Structure formats: structure tokens, C-alpha cells
Amino acid sequence: MIVPLLVGMLVAGASFIGIALASQRGVVTPPRGGPDEIAPAPEGVRDEVSPVQRPDVVPFRSLPAPDPVALDIDAIDVHSDLHHVGLDAAGAIDTPSGALYDQAAWYKHSPAPGSVGPAIILGHVDSAADGPSVFFRLGELARGDRISVTGADGSVASFVVDAVKSYAKDDFPTKLVYGDLDHAGLRLVTCGGEFDEVAGHYRDNIVVFASLTS
């Protein structure tokens, strides 16, 4: 479970993924979603995005999963090592930087992928210097696509995409993304939407919601 007191800080950090980016050319951004379009718990979830309606979803895992070390998403040709990030000095979620800029990162204070709860993985969409980054094509994912996360012990947690949504950064659905779950979930987060030349970052966040299948 993510500590509730940190939720606001997590959103602040996630909202700046992709800061100082040059162009959104080629970035696929899903239509903006609303909090009522997907929910992290059974009550009120629409059938087309509900993990509890899927017979292949693992509803509960009682043992902690190992820390993740690699991410693979064949549908968008993503194959990345996973390093771990925490909170920066300002209390916001840290983001990949330096030599690790183009790798995805697991937020280490969220559940490990495969454990009950929302595992959070972050990645940049592009950079001014080098163009497309690890999550450049994240918005192309669709319901039913597969995501694999390899653990430090060599085990592989397999997830299926439930929904792909875009949210304005000033209306980010904190509880929806970081709130408790009754199953093992995964959230992939990057930037999207229009690029704000004045502020120097994208106006939206793209969030992929997925559930453990094996």
C-alpha cells in the first residue's frame, strides 16, 4: 500500500515526467479520461475496463513479489532494465535521469509488481537532446496487450492492459492511480498531450492500467 500522506507528492513528481522535452511529434495520446471511466476496485467499474470481470486476472497474491529488474512490452517494442526511484529532496517522486534517462523506473515505495496493490512504473516520453525515450509509444497500447516484469529472482509477472487513459496534469486522478487495490495491478505513467512551451513540459499524463494474469 502506498502511504496516503505521500499521494500528493507522488502526483507532483509524476506530473513532471518528461520535463524539458522538445517535441510531441509522433506521440500517441489517448482521449482524455475521467475518474468515472476506470476504477481500481470492483464497485462501479465498467465491464470494458474491469479487471475483476476478466477470468485470467489473478485476484489475490498473498506473498510479496521480488523487486523488479526488467520491463518488456512487445506491442510497443519496449525492453528496458528497471532501476528504482524514491522521493527527491523536495518530496516529489524522483524521475530517471543521467545515464538512466531512457530506462523505465519502478517507484520503490509502491508495491512490487505482482504484489497486491498498484505497482508504479515511470518513464520519459522523449528528450530535447535525444528524441524518443522509453515510453514514447506508451499511448499506442490497447486493452488486452501484454506487459511482463522480471523480478530479481528471475520470476516473471505477466500483466494484461485494462485501459489506457490521458489526464490533464492539473486534474490528475490521484486516488485512481495510487489508491489501494484488492488485486495485483500495474500503472505505467508518462507524459502526453500538448507541449507547453512556456512551462517546458507536456500538459497531460498518459496512464496505462493493467492487472496481473500470471
Side-chain angles (χ1 to χ4, degrees):
M1 181 179 76
I2 298 176
V3 179
L5 291 177
L6 297 180
V7 168
M9 292 184 282
L10 301 184
V11 173
S15 70
F16 287 98
I17 297 171
I19 193 168
L21 306 182
S23 171
Q24 65 176 27
R25 184 176 58 186
V27 174
V28 174
T29 299
R32 283 190 181 178
D36 60 340
E37 293 193 17
I38 182 171
E43 183 178 355
V45 181
R46 288 169 51 178
D47 289 346
E48 64 266 30
V49 296
S50 172
V52 297
Q53 300 292 332
R54 303 180 64 97
D56 54 344
V57 166
V58 179
F60 185 80
R61 178 171 177 170
S62 58
L63 297 177
D67 288 351
V69 297
L71 173 71
D72 293 281
I73 314 173
D74 289 341
I76 56 173
D77 197 27
V78 167
H79 306 284
S80 173
D81 290 340
L82 276 176
H83 65 285
H84 304 165
V85 295
L87 297 176
D88 63 20
I93 194 170
D94 210 350
T95 55
S97 60
L100 302 176
Y101 186 95
D102 290 320
Q103 294 183 12
W106 169 60
Y107 176 60
K108 64 183 180 181
H109 300 303
S110 71
S115 294
V116 173
I120 309 297
I121 294 179
L122 315 168
H124 291 288
V125 63
D126 62 7
S127 72
D130 299 317
S133 190
V134 62
F135 279 172
F136 186 77
R137 297 176 60 194
L138 195 70
E140 296 178 26
L141 287 177
R143 184 174 184 265
D145 285 339
R146 300 283 170 166
I147 300 169
S148 297
V149 181
T150 302
D153 63 355
S155 62
V156 178
S158 297
F159 296 83
V160 64
V161 173
D162 297 312
V164 183
K165 299 293 181 181
S166 179
Y167 302 99
K169 289 183 177 179
D170 57 7
D171 192 29
F172 191 87
T174 306
K175 185 175 180 180
L176 187 64
V177 175
Y178 298 108
D180 288 342
L181 297 175
D182 64 351
H183 63 279
L186 182 68
R187 279 82 171 97
L188 308 182
V189 185
T190 194
C191 282
E194 296 181 357
F195 188 78
D196 187 329
E197 298 287 351
V198 175
H201 59 74
Y202 289 99
R203 298 181 187 274
D204 296 349
N205 281 125
I206 297 173
V207 182
V208 173
F209 298 83
S211 300
L212 184 72
T213 59
S214 65

